[in-house]
Amino acid sequence: MQKELTIGKLLIGNPSDMSNIRYITGFSAPDAVIYLDTGTQRFLAVSPLEYGRAVSHTKSITVVSFEELKRSDKTRPTIIGLAVELIKRQHLNTVRVSADLPYLTAKKLLQAGIKIDVVEGPFLKQRAIKRPDEVARIREVQQAAVIACRAAVRKISSATIDGNGMLRDGTKRLDSESMRRLIDMVLLERDCVAEDTIVACGKQGAQPHERGSGPLMAGQPIVIDIFPRHKEHGYWGDLTRTVIKGRVSQELLNMYRAVKAAQRAALSAIKPRVHVRTVHRAAHREFNKRGYISELKNKAPHGFIHGTGHGVGLDIHEAPSVSNCKGVLRAGHVITVEPGLYYPELGGIRIEDTVVVMPDGWRYLYPCEKKFFIA
Amino acid sequence: MQKELTIGKLLIGNPSDMSNIRYITGFSAPDAVIYLDTGTQRFLAVSPLEYGRAVSHTKSITVVSFEELKRSDKTRPTIIGLAVELIKRQHLNTVRVSADLPYLTAKKLLQAGIKIDVVEGPFLKQRAIKRPDEVARIREVQQAAVIACRAAVRKISSATIDGNGMLRDGTKRLDSESMRRLIDMVLLERDCVAEDTIVACGKQGAQPHERGSGPLMAGQPIVIDIFPRHKEHGYWGDLTRTVIKGRVSQELLNMYRAVKAAQRAALSAIKPRVHVRTVHRAAHREFNKRGYISELKNKAPHGFIHGTGHGVGLDIHEAPSVSNCKGVLRAGHVITVEPGLYYPELGGIRIEDTVVVMPDGWRYLYPCEKKFFIA
């Protein structure tokens, strides 16, 4: 079995961008590091700047300083040169790498006589199944999202409506920007950071990734999508609620009920061994049954135009995808369930929760009330 | 010149991770997009979900929906398949790509008969020279960093020292965590997000990337490094101050004076056409002159162990590097100047400002007082 023994697993990059390195080593840094698993030993090579931190933040990993990998004939080695040196010292001739390995890095490894085996899809399949300590961390972030969402809803609830149909907090106009700030402040109090919190009112909400700007209006749906990351441990949470203040048209009310029913249908389908496609189709079926057809009109999507959900962990979007694709749910998956309806003339309505798949079904990571109309 | 006309510039990825796409198109999205510049026309291909937003956020770019690129014989094309289709429709046979293009993407382009020309180093050299509107944005973020830093210093200044030498704010202990929260709150009020604000006291500060934790102590240097990013426009700022409360040893005072002098020396060297190496060496020379030698002892760096600075823009670290490397300063470069001294037994002292290179020298983006000892 000589051959197998010469294959290693290689990751090169900034752990702060590469969750795989953070997941395996527990170490994060803003500078490039090299991780190598020979099958019998795991190495983390770091710059002398990071050496002390790396030693104290990792366990059962051999931390190596770049200095130790410098060859006397090279004065300024590149990170790839250092990786080649580490690989050769371990007598490996092939390395398994993730799909995001840069082409230039790959070329240089090949030039150095090292073979490359690229893994398509998740490099660390075990990441999809969360350990209890990971579930606890995601729950902590999800709780922060729920508390921030409640603060936002309370603010909208206590708003008045002026003659132009705009929401007001005393003399101040409520707008997407001030609501986003409020939400992000509540998150920060809990050591969570959100870069792209969505507070999108009316037609803006018809574009699922529109962050929203300008005044919040009565009688129009307000999509609030909060996806923070914990500043210390790096896990994410994800939550969306859609609310409306003032008069609600029957059309919007029906849409909201359809989204809620679609979420319920999708949730009901969740348990181990169920195909993700089945969960997605359950949501779709509910919309179709109620006459909400999903289609493209003039390049603009109408109806339910995205997947039902995605895995959440050290990345905001990770395996498994809950959409019209292959894959089966397993206990320990942490996924979002977020059906929505979008119409350019009306806006968007989306309800999203993050749940953990349990042996007997699923559980909310942190429950949050679902209320559309707020007095 | 047929040959030249068939080369395009290609970028594939999430604009929220790939500043090059954001820089060229002005568009940001959390999903993968394709940017192609044929030399005569620029294309941005996006998912139908992003189409409306992409059209309204870009100008002089042809926005294409992935739907338009779907070939009838393929039901679920990958992003790479869509890129191949876009490239072939434009009759290009070679694409110039950035060094971070994933190997897997490159392989698939090659398999589709498209040649690849990888650009080592910055893909868009023009990014290093900031336009006035970019300087204004970085200044806005730098101002937020300065205001946040002042709030932190004020808090330390008004602290009392308890019997254990710990800083206190009334009955509460001041620690790295609470100071970081205070700083990040002030930043958020100005729509800036900081993920890794450093407040590192004493020996912690000897590791330049240690974020710091636990109580802040009198008589020990406290490194405060603030590098926020603006949530809307995405530009960064970067600022470091080191302060000390209570009694200051002569040793630390000398160190501080050396760092300040090294920064002054580096700043004095800055003007167009000067080699970045010259700026770096000016700082080093100042340390050497005062007897602060930089070296590795037991794998731990001692002295001035990093570069003098780096470019700041849509990335926190971008061209030009101000260190012992090739390169010349040009008017419009925005760079940090951040010499520091680090000793495992004493801690770290670093002073960092962000400046813009001017035709006649340099200017602070936003000045901030430099005071070590605070009463």
Side-chain angles (χ1 to χ4, degrees), chain A residues 16 29-31 48-53 56-57 63 65 67-68 76 97 99-108 110 116 118-121 177 180-181 184-186 188-191 193-197 207-211 229-232 296 298-301 305-306 317 323-325, chain B residues 16 29-31 48-53 56-57 63 65 67-68 76 97 99-108 110 116 118-121 177 180-181 184-186 188-191 193-197 207-211 229-232 296 298-301 305-306 317 323-325:
Chain A
S16 53
D31 284 334
L49 276 191
E50 304 285 5
Y51 183 80
R53 256 180 7 100
S56 62
H57 283 75
V63 179
S65 168
E67 284 298 314
E68 301 171 62
R76 278 181 70 85
V97 297
D100 57 356
L101 184 86
Y103 177 53
L104 200 63
T105 307
K107 252 175 87 169
K108 292 188 175 171
L110 290 168
I116 290 173
V118 186
V119 177
E120 287 202 47
E177 292 81 356
R180 185 152 47 234
R181 210 170 287 139
D184 292 353
M185 287 282 178
V186 174
L188 198 48
E189 283 164 11
R190 294 170 176 269
D191 289 331
V193 174
E195 288 221 28
D196 289 303
T197 299
Q207 316 243 22
H209 293 152
E210 174 62 53
R211 298 174 60 203
R229 184 181 204 184
H230 197 278
K231 294 195 329 178
E232 306 287 336
L296 276 180
N298 303 323
K299 295 186 192 171
I305 55 176
H306 52 63
H317 294 130
S323 60
N324 188 23
C325 65
Chain B
S16 53
D31 284 334
L49 277 190
E50 305 284 6
Y51 183 80
R53 253 173 19 94
S56 62
H57 283 76
V63 179
S65 168
E67 285 298 315
E68 300 171 64
R76 279 181 70 85
V97 298
D100 57 357
L101 184 85
Y103 177 52
L104 200 63
T105 307
K107 252 175 87 170
K108 291 187 176 174
L110 290 168
I116 290 174
V118 186
V119 178
E120 288 202 46
E177 292 81 357
R180 184 151 49 233
R181 209 169 288 139
D184 292 353
M185 286 282 178
V186 174
L188 197 48
E189 281 164 12
R190 294 169 176 270
D191 289 332
V193 174
E195 288 220 29
D196 290 302
T197 299
Q207 317 243 19
H209 292 152
E210 174 62 53
R211 300 174 60 203
R229 183 181 204 184
H230 197 278
K231 294 198 325 179
E232 306 288 336
L296 275 179
N298 303 322
K299 295 187 193 171
I305 54 176
H306 53 63
H317 294 129
S323 58
N324 188 23
C325 63

Side-chain angles (χ1 to χ4, degrees), chain A residues 207-245:
Chain A
Q207 316 243 22
H209 293 152
E210 174 62 53
R211 298 174 60 203
S213 60
L216 300 182
M217 309 293 296
Q220 297 185 13
I222 303 168
V223 179
I224 303 171
D225 189 346
I226 305 175
F227 43 109
R229 184 181 204 184
H230 197 278
K231 294 195 329 178
E232 306 287 336
H233 55 61
Y235 282 84
W236 295 80
D238 206 346
L239 174 79
T240 306
R241 288 293 181 266
T242 306
V243 296
I244 193 163
K245 169 97 179 174

Side-chain angles (χ1 to χ4, degrees), chain A residues 271-332:
Chain A
K271 64 182 175 194
R273 287 181 300 281
V274 164
H275 287 267
V276 294
R277 187 176 275 156
T278 305
V279 176
H280 182 59
R281 284 184 184 161
H284 250 299
R285 200 175 311 119
E286 193 63 41
F287 285 130
N288 289 338
K289 206 172 76 184
R290 291 165 184 253
Y292 294 98
I293 308 302
S294 302
E295 60 189 339
L296 276 180
K297 273 191 220 166
N298 303 323
K299 295 186 192 171
H302 290 63
F304 178 35
I305 55 176
H306 52 63
T308 294
H310 52 83
V312 173
L314 279 174
D315 284 317
I316 175 65
H317 294 130
E318 58 178 52
S321 170
V322 185
S323 60
N324 188 23
C325 65
K326 280 185 199 167
V328 168
L329 291 179
R330 291 175 61 189

Side-chain angles (χ1 to χ4, degrees), chain B residues 145-157 167 175-176 179-180 182-184 187 196-202 205 208 210-211 216 221-227 238-244 338 348-353 368 371-372 374:
Chain B
V146 168
I147 291 169
C149 185
R150 284 179 183 150
V153 172
R154 255 198 319 275
K155 180 66 90 180
I156 294 171
S157 173
L167 304 191
D175 55 21
S176 293
M179 292 299 289
R180 184 151 49 233
L182 166 70
I183 289 166
D184 292 353
L187 294 173
D196 290 302
T197 299
I198 292 171
V199 181
C201 180
E210 174 62 53
R211 300 174 60 203
L216 300 182
I222 303 169
V223 179
I224 302 171
D225 189 346
I226 306 175
F227 43 110
D238 206 348
L239 175 79
T240 305
R241 289 294 182 266
T242 305
V243 296
I244 193 163
E338 49 175 314
I349 291 177
R350 181 167 65 254
I351 303 175
E352 174 185 37
D353 286 278
C368 177
K371 221 174 131 184
F372 183 43
I374 50 183

Side-chain angles (χ1 to χ4, degrees), chain B residues 278-294:
Chain B
T278 306
V279 177
H280 182 60
R281 284 184 184 161
H284 251 299
R285 200 175 311 118
E286 193 61 43
F287 285 130
N288 289 336
K289 205 171 76 185
R290 290 164 184 252
Y292 295 97
I293 308 302
S294 303

